[in-house]
Structures are given as C-alpha cells and as structure tokens.
Amino acid sequence: LAAPGGLTPGGKNWIGGNSTAIAGIAVGIDKTTLPMHLWGMEVGYSIPELVRSQQVGRPIDTQKHEGLRLKHNMDVDEMVYIGDTDKGSSGLVNNAAITPAGFDAEWYADGMTPDQILTDINELIYETWARSGFAVCPTDLLLPPKKFGLLTKPVTSAGSESLLMYIAKSCLSAQQNGRPLEIKPLKWLTGRGVGGADRAVAYTKDKQFVRYPMVPLQRTPLECRGIHQLTTYFGTLGEVEFVYPETVAYADGL
C-alpha cells in the first residue's frame, strides 16, 4: 500500500471544502506466488501378487497405496517447513529473508523458574510484534521437541496446571489476541539455527500472512501390461509464500 498524506506526504489526509487536488491510495497488485512443482509416483503389481496377498488378508494394492500416501505426506511436511535443496526453495523455518534473533536461554539450568521461561518467550513474541509495526501479534509458536517437553512439567505443587498451559494463557500473545498462544513441537527446528543451535519460530497462522499452495493427488486410469497392473498418482507441491515476512520471527538458541 502507498498512502501519502494531504498537506504533507507523511501527515494526515486533511482536505478543504474547495479542494481540487486530493491524494489517493495506491495498491500493489504484483503476484507474490512461487513455482508449483509436479510430484508423482507409480503403483504397480502383478495379478499373481495381488491374488496371493488377498489370500493372506494383506492386499498388496492397499498396502502400496498406503505407502504412497505416507511418502506424499512426508514430502509435503518437509516442503512446508524446510523446502527443498534441489529446487532451491525454503520453508517456514529457514527463509533467508528473515534474520534470526540470538538468544541464550538456559531452560535446563537448575533453579530456572517458569517466569524466566515466560520472559524468554515474551521477548520473541515482542520481537515478532515489533517487526510488524505492532500491527500483528503472533498466534503460534513452534519449538524444538526437547524444549517443548520441558513445558509439560507441572507449574503448581498440586500438578493442576502445566507450564505449557501457564505460558499459553499468560504470555503477551494471549493478552493481545484474546486467546491462548498455540505452542507446538516441530522436529525440523532441532539444530536448524546459526551454529547448530535450536531454533524457535513465532508466526501468525493465517493465509493473509503466510500460506502454502498445493494440488491434491489425482491418479491415472488403471493400465494393464501383460500380467501387471499400474497406475500413477500425481499432484503439485508449492512453496511457502511469505505474504508479509514481517509477521514471522526466528529465535536461535531459545
């Protein structure tokens, strides 16, 4: 957006009753989309294999389809979070346009209190909020599994509330957005930061700010080649699109 002021370019849009020159607003309509990549796998088996597998109660066509779905889900997961080196693409947690903030969090140190951990997380939330000009406060926080595991311990002597629940309801994001912060573990964050440090990611889960396009799997008609039956499943995988990179922040060492 470009919205110059009235009397001064950086001021408010005051106009007079007889004004003939009124400032307008401009909107950039350039596409921010990234390439879509074709993905495909073939499922094939012979008729004797199919018959024998059905006799033992484990149909080979079903097993191969389940294996294909698993491989597709794993490829999508990797593409979303770290992209693909061969394609030269990045994901949600390693985009070069986002400069990571350095932290020196000692969550494993003896005597580390819940309030000190909350302070560390609030610093990351504040950093993300400030990058957006205090317009968008993050709603989601991704942590390495080991750090996430530390948050499952009880914060009260009675064990009625975990540290995870306490932080989700008490952090800066919860107060600003009116709902608890979504804190989730992510395997791709272990050792992902600068110097092999663990990385944490704060962002707003909304397609207005960050999105991932893809086309669901389709398949070709079943083809018979002698005693073999084959079909190809295909679809397209996109790349994570940072519509507003300012709403995402990384923290290495958190």
Side-chain angles (χ1 to χ4, degrees):
L1 292 176
L7 297 177
T8 59
K12 299 179 177 60
N13 288 79
W14 306 124
I15 62 172
N18 298 321
S19 296
T20 57
I22 301 177
I25 188 167
V27 178
I29 58 174
D30 294 337
K31 292 183 178 181
T32 58
T33 55
L34 296 172
M36 299 288 285
H37 308 285
L38 189 61
W39 185 100
M41 285 191 76
E42 184 181 79
V43 173
Y45 43 81
S46 68
I47 296 176
E49 283 180 324
L50 180 60
V51 173
R52 287 196 298 267
S53 65
Q54 289 175 334
Q55 289 174 343
V56 297
R58 301 183 64 184
I60 193 171
D61 56 340
T62 302
Q63 292 183 72
K64 286 198 171 185
H65 180 263
E66 290 176 351
L68 179 141
R69 297 290 302 190
L70 176 60
K71 181 60 167 64
H72 180 258
N73 289 339
M74 292 173 64
D75 286 355
V76 171
D77 182 72
E78 185 171 349
M79 197 70 182
V80 167
Y81 292 111
I82 63 172
D84 183 85
T85 304
D86 295 335
K87 295 292 185 181
S89 63
S90 60
L92 178 64
V93 306
N94 62 347
N95 190 281
I98 301 171
T99 303
F103 278 76
D104 188 21
E106 297 293 338
W107 289 9
Y108 300 97
D110 293 336
M112 190 70 171
T113 66
D115 285 340
Q116 288 173 313
I117 296 177
L118 175 61
T119 298
D120 286 341
I121 291 178
N122 271 340
E123 285 184 16
L124 174 57
I125 294 172
Y126 179 84
E127 171 74 16
T128 315
W129 193 22
R131 290 187 183 191
S132 69
F134 298 103
V136 181
C137 191
T139 61
D140 288 65
L141 174 66
L142 302 177
L143 293 174
K146 191 173 182 180
K147 289 289 180 66
F148 179 83
L150 291 175
L151 303 185
T152 60
K153 62 183 181 181
V155 71
T156 60
S157 57
S160 58
E161 185 178 53
S162 68
L163 181 55
L164 181 68
M165 296 172 58
Y166 169 71
I167 291 175
K169 294 187 297 183
S170 305
C171 69
L172 180 60
S173 173
Q175 307 308 313
Q176 178 65 21
N177 295 320
R179 62 185 178 91
L181 175 68
E182 290 285 342
I183 307 175
K184 298 176 183 177
L186 182 64
K187 65 179 182 180
W188 302 109
L189 293 173
T190 302
R192 185 64 54 186
V194 177
D198 289 347
R199 172 168 289 181
V201 179
Y203 73 107
T204 298
K205 192 175 181 180
D206 190 315
K207 63 182 180 181
Q208 179 182 353
F209 307 114
V210 60
R211 60 195 179 203
Y212 180 75
M214 63 176 291
V215 177
L217 287 177
Q218 306 174 62
R219 71 180 182 91
T220 61
L222 190 65
E223 178 184 355
C224 294
R225 296 180 188 173
I227 63 171
H228 291 83
Q229 296 180 340
L230 306 101
T231 184
T232 299
Y233 288 81
F234 63 96
T236 55
L237 305 183
E239 301 178 14
V240 172
E241 299 173 357
F242 290 81
V243 185
Y244 293 98
E246 302 83 5
T247 62
V248 182
Y250 300 155
D252 291 352
L254 186 64

